[in-house]
Amino acid sequence: MLEQGTISIHTENIFPIIKKSLYSDHQIFLRELVSNAVDAIQKLNMVSRAGEYNGEIGEPEIQLAIDKDHKTLSITDNGIGMTAEEVKKYINQVAFSSAEEFIHKYQGKSDQPIIGHFGLGFYSSFMVAQKVEIDTLSYQEGAQAVHWSCDGSPNFTLEESSRTTRGTTITLTLQGEEEEFLEAARIKNLVKTYCDFMPVPIKLEGEVLNKQKAPWRESASNLSQEEYLEFYRYLYPFQEEPLLWVHLNTDYPFIINGILYFPKMRPDVDVTKGQIKLFCNQVFVSDNCEEIIPQFLTPMRGVIDSTDIPLNVSRSALQGDRTVRRIGDYIAKKVGDRLKELYRDSREQYISAWKDLSTFVKFGVLNDEKFKKQVEDIIVFRTTAKVAQKAIAETPVVEVQSPDGDVWQDVTPPSPSAEEAISSTPYTTLKEYLERNKERHENRVFYSTDETTQSTYIELHKNQGLEVLFMDSFIDTHFINFLEREYSDVKFTRVDSDLDNTLLDQDKAGDIVDPKTNKTRSESIKELFEKSLNKPKVNIRTEALKSDDPQGTPPAIVLLPEILRRLREMNAMMQQQNVDFPEDHILLVNTAHPLIQNLVNISQGSIIQDDGQPSTNPLVNLICQHVYDLALMSQKGFDAEGMKSFVERSNEVLTKLTEQAGK
């Protein structure tokens, strides 16, 4: 026996600390031991290239073996091996004087990168093993093979071994409660999870378990589009294809490689939870990269691999420091560069992906000044204008074999015409919008937040040649405020907040005074609705909406003043409440609509009864209420009680109208 002793002084508590404090997940022992085996193989390659070893290296490989009878799991490499002195140095002399000092020095300081220090990865084996043995032979000429053994106490034995092959075998005699690691399926799953992209074949019973090739370590020019897609499908099976991807590759001022994908956003995706996999030297570390990735890029997927990201000893958590922040800035810049490249070179593809991209691009602009400067000119909005887009792509030639089997026929669809090049859902930047409309309404932007409920207002604008932008994502409420700060001379007006003079017809007839009532028609209409509705908080306005077809315009619309509406929205957001429809609003009655004109005529032509009230007064009141209900419906949905009342009033209106018609 070469030596018998204790691992180090004052380490009575090292194994409980390893089991309870350093590692929260027992299964990572295999990752640590296989990582050590890969390191041993790579070190052999280094000394061979340096001319310090002239023997045959052979094909590198790591062999895993299970012996259920003896309850052992072994990991064997054909790497550099260790001498007795190296075993003493790297295994016995754990490089700290006491467990207490270690905990104080490293676990208490988040800015200390400690992975790889002191060979602690090897000691993770004691989480699952009641006994750990090392059998190793160094590459050095004339080296003596040695065998090291420890039962989990501070005591160990070191003796000569009969091993004749270069390399190292770690044999774990598993604890009774850890016998799940004697199942081949369990080991295969762990290799796939943690070691799939390690650059050395890992074998179990002759079967190679890992893929070995890490696409993110390849040059972007060496990967085809299909290879990028295949990698995504492998990482995230049964998911829709990604929109685009960003390849990361730099070695200054830090080392980082990776491939990040923009996924299609689905309702069931939690955008607050990251799905980027963190690797260190092709060793899987964590599914959590949230400390590295800027918050607005959290929905991205893919892989980041870096040796410069400081981890704690168990590799389970990142240690925040300046390097992490700089890496985050680098990733954000690369994403911005990729978006600009796509916008420049393939705007149609960029626009097709914008529905999914827009949320985190806008969120990034709101939260990252550098990113904002990168992408502010490529933020697009859907628009009502007919904006010509570039042709989607040159149509590929498609040929099929004819029925007789010999002649190939060209069935390539015709190229899109100039008219077809006008996109059915055109998009525009804000600068393009302002330039296009500066003659008609300089420095004014009309926008819609809900195409369905605001359709009436959108049509009014479109019919008069006013372009409307759609700002209808959940983040746009905040984004509009940002745009107003950026474009301080531009006024943003929601289509239902007020009407531009372009939409109004200066109705001179409305100003003519009726000698019977001594009131203008507009005044009569206003008074009629005020009495019928009896809602003091509703401000009745009378205007004639401009149209070639007055019947095609609404008889009345509800307007919500921009400033008051925003104040209500902000207050509701701060109190985490829903925005209630305000009692104070404007009812704009369209004096040019035939229904309103008929309503005035009916009210003025009524026969006065004995009680002094016109006989048609109930019908007029009901129609006024019905017009108001219809205007409200385009702004808000009725609750159950409101809908019940609306249906009842509608039925009553129809009943009275049929009564009138039957007289």
Side-chain angles (χ1 to χ4, degrees):
M1 182 178 296
L2 296 175
E3 188 171 344
Q4 184 174 358
T6 58
I7 290 175
S8 70
I9 59 173
H10 305 305
T11 55
E12 289 80 1
N13 295 322
I14 183 61
F15 292 112
I17 288 171
I18 287 171
K19 293 179 181 180
K20 296 180 181 179
S21 299
L22 297 186
Y23 299 97
S24 58
D25 190 354
H26 283 196
Q27 68 185 20
I28 58 87
F29 80 92
L30 188 65
R31 175 192 72 187
E32 299 300 312
L33 296 181
V34 173
S35 297
N36 288 346
V38 171
D39 289 344
I41 290 170
Q42 292 178 334
K43 287 176 182 177
L44 180 66
N45 290 331
M46 291 173 64
V47 298
S48 177
R49 287 195 297 269
E52 298 177 14
Y53 177 65
N54 298 319
E56 288 292 326
I57 293 180
E59 290 296 321
E61 66 176 20
I62 297 169
Q63 292 278 359
L64 307 180
I66 295 172
D67 186 337
K68 290 189 176 182
D69 293 335
H70 295 90
K71 298 182 180 180
T72 62
L73 170 66
S74 63
I75 299 94
T76 300
D77 68 70
N78 56 355
I80 197 168
M82 289 184 287
T83 63
E85 290 302 316
E86 287 170 333
V87 171
K88 295 177 186 179
K89 178 179 180 181
Y90 297 121
I91 304 299
N92 293 352
Q93 298 174 13
V94 179
F96 47 85
S97 60
S98 69
E100 292 81 1
E101 180 184 345
F102 172 78
I103 295 296
H104 174 73
K105 184 174 182 181
Y106 289 100
Q107 287 194 330
K109 294 187 177 181
S110 62
D111 60 346
Q112 292 286 346
I114 52 181
I115 187 169
H117 284 214
F118 316 133
L120 283 168
F122 164 75
Y123 280 95
S124 66
S125 56
F126 285 98
M127 292 191 299
V128 297
Q130 57 182 310
K131 181 181 180 181
V132 179
E133 299 171 83
I134 303 174
D135 197 52
T136 182
L137 175 61
S138 172
Y139 77 100
Q140 296 178 23
E141 187 175 349
Q144 170 63 52
V146 294
H147 181 271
W148 179 93
S149 177
C150 180
D151 62 2
S153 71
N155 301 313
F156 70 90
T157 61
L158 181 63
E159 54 192 352
E160 293 183 354
S161 166
S162 59
R163 182 186 183 103
T164 58
T165 57
R166 183 199 68 242
T168 300
T169 299
I170 309 291
T171 302
L172 311 181
T173 302
L174 296 174
Q175 301 168 16
E177 64 270 23
E178 305 291 352
E179 291 181 11
E180 63 179 286
F181 299 113
L182 294 175
E183 299 298 328
R186 183 76 168 105
I187 296 302
K188 289 179 180 179
N189 179 262
L190 291 181
V191 171
K192 178 178 172 62
T193 299
Y194 292 107
C195 313
D196 210 11
F197 298 101
M198 291 185 179
V200 177
I202 302 169
K203 299 180 180 180
L204 176 65
E205 299 173 354
E207 177 188 356
V208 177
L209 305 182
N210 60 326
K211 294 174 71 70
Q212 302 168 55
K213 179 183 177 182
W216 64 87
R217 299 298 289 266
E218 299 285 325
S219 169
S221 59
N222 292 339
L223 293 175
S224 67
Q225 176 171 318
E226 185 57 30
E227 286 175 311
Y228 279 112
L229 292 174
E230 283 182 4
F231 183 50
Y232 184 82
R233 296 173 194 136
Y234 175 76
L235 294 175
Y236 310 99
F238 312 114
Q239 299 292 313
E240 293 184 80
E241 300 285 73
L243 301 168
L244 62 145
W245 48 86
V246 181
H247 199 125
L248 309 174
N249 189 346
T250 186
D251 56 9
Y252 182 82
F254 37 73
I255 297 173
I256 185 169
N257 296 277
I259 302 173
L260 300 181
Y261 295 87
F262 284 93
K264 287 191 174 180
M265 303 301 290
R266 302 188 325 186
D268 59 344
V269 173
D270 184 354
V271 297
T272 65
K273 184 178 180 181
Q275 297 191 55
I276 296 174
K277 301 179 185 296
L278 177 62
F279 285 72
C280 182
N281 268 342
Q282 297 169 241
V283 180
F284 175 72
V285 174
S286 172
D287 276 316
N288 179 6
C289 279
E290 293 175 7
E291 293 90 343
I292 304 172
I293 297 294
Q295 188 178 13
F296 68 93
L297 296 178
T298 299
M300 294 189 77
R301 297 174 178 173
V303 166
I304 289 177
D305 189 335
S306 176
T307 55
D308 286 334
I309 296 175
L311 303 167
N312 68 8
V313 70
S314 66
R315 311 191 195 199
S316 63
L318 294 171
Q319 304 297 304
D321 71 349
R322 184 181 177 188
T323 300
V324 169
R325 293 192 296 272
R326 292 172 69 189
I327 289 175
D329 291 342
Y330 167 78
I331 292 171
K333 182 181 184 305
K334 292 293 291 185
V335 168
D337 289 343
R338 180 70 179 97
L339 293 173
K340 287 168 63 179
E341 175 189 37
L342 186 66
Y343 181 85
R344 181 186 67 242
D345 299 339
S346 183
R347 183 165 176 174
E348 66 285 346
Q349 182 185 349
Y350 177 86
I351 286 174
S352 69
W354 181 250
K355 182 178 179 181
D356 296 279
L357 293 176
S358 61
T359 298
F360 43 102
V361 170
K362 290 175 182 176
F363 188 57
V365 168
L366 291 174
N367 290 276
D368 189 315
E369 182 66 22
K370 293 179 182 177
F371 184 75
K372 184 205 81 172
K373 291 180 179 178
Q374 272 191 286
V375 303
E376 58 187 351
D377 292 332
I378 62 171
I379 296 170
V380 295
F381 303 91
R382 190 160 57 92
T383 175
T384 57
K386 293 183 178 180
V387 181
Q389 308 289 346
K390 295 179 182 178
I392 290 179
E394 184 176 338
T395 307
V397 175
V398 181
E399 293 183 333
V400 297
Q401 199 168 19
S402 64
D404 57 20
D406 294 324
V407 181
W408 289 81
Q409 299 176 334
D410 182 2
V411 293
T412 305
S415 300
S417 64
E419 290 77 14
E420 291 170 332
I422 303 294
S423 173
S424 59
T425 54
Y427 283 76
T428 184
T429 66
L430 186 56
K431 287 183 178 179
E432 291 169 342
Y433 175 97
L434 293 171
E435 178 64 25
R436 194 163 47 245
N437 293 287
K438 65 180 181 180
E439 297 297 330
R440 182 177 286 271
H441 50 83
E442 186 174 10
N443 289 340
R444 188 163 184 194
V445 175
F446 299 103
Y447 69 94
S448 165
T449 56
D450 190 320
E451 184 175 10
T452 301
T453 62
Q454 296 165 9
S455 60
T456 299
Y457 305 89
I458 294 169
E459 285 302 312
L460 285 174
H461 286 72
K462 286 173 61 178
N463 290 340
Q464 297 305 317
L466 298 181
E467 182 179 353
V468 177
L469 298 183
F470 293 97
M471 300 182 179
D472 49 8
S473 70
F474 73 91
I475 198 174
D476 278 335
T477 299
H478 308 284
F479 201 68
I480 291 168
N481 294 331
F482 161 79
L483 291 174
E484 287 181 323
R485 292 193 300 271
E486 292 293 303
Y487 297 84
S488 57
D489 57 339
V490 176
K491 181 180 180 182
F492 288 76
T493 306
R494 203 168 84 174
V495 290
D496 60 348
S497 65
D498 204 351
L499 297 184
D500 187 76
N501 289 334
T502 310
L503 305 176
L504 303 177
D505 189 1
Q506 304 305 319
D507 184 11
K508 300 301 182 184
D511 297 330
I512 299 175
V513 177
D514 185 338
K516 295 180 182 179
T517 62
N518 203 31
K519 299 175 183 176
T520 65
R521 187 175 64 177
S522 292
E523 290 172 340
S524 298
I525 294 172
K526 179 180 174 69
E527 182 179 302
L528 184 63
F529 272 84
E530 286 175 342
K531 288 182 178 179
S532 298
L533 299 183
N534 191 27
K535 292 182 179 292
K537 292 187 177 182
V538 177
N539 180 15
I540 309 295
R541 275 177 51 189
T542 53
E543 301 279 2
L545 297 180
K546 187 183 294 184
S547 175
D548 295 333
D549 177 22
Q551 182 64 47
T553 60
I557 56 176
V558 169
L559 301 177
L560 302 176
E562 186 85 11
I563 295 177
L564 294 179
R565 190 198 75 245
R566 291 199 198 182
L567 287 174
R568 291 182 64 87
E569 290 174 348
M570 184 181 301
N571 186 56
M573 181 183 67
M574 293 176 65
Q575 298 184 22
Q576 297 183 340
Q577 298 175 344
N578 293 326
V579 182
D580 295 327
F581 190 81
E583 292 185 17
D584 297 344
H585 54 266
I586 298 169
L587 177 67
L588 188 147
V589 181
N590 179 12
T591 59
H593 196 282
L595 171 59
I596 302 302
Q597 294 178 352
N598 293 340
L599 192 60
V600 174
N601 294 336
I602 293 173
S603 66
Q604 291 178 347
S606 303
I607 300 173
I608 304 300
Q609 301 182 100
D610 294 339
D611 59 4
Q613 296 295 320
S615 61
T616 54
N617 197 43
L619 177 60
V620 171
N621 289 342
L622 280 172
I623 293 176
C624 286
Q625 182 65 55
H626 193 67
V627 168
Y628 177 57
D629 284 343
L630 292 174
L632 278 178
M633 288 182 71
S634 66
Q635 273 285 2
K636 72 181 186 76
F638 288 130
D639 56 19
E641 186 60 34
M643 180 56 70
K644 179 175 176 291
S645 299
F646 170 70
V647 172
E648 290 175 351
R649 282 193 296 270
S650 299
N651 290 333
E652 191 175 355
V653 167
L654 293 174
T655 300
K656 290 190 177 295
L657 286 175
T658 53
E659 287 176 354
Q660 292 288 329
K663 292 180 180 180

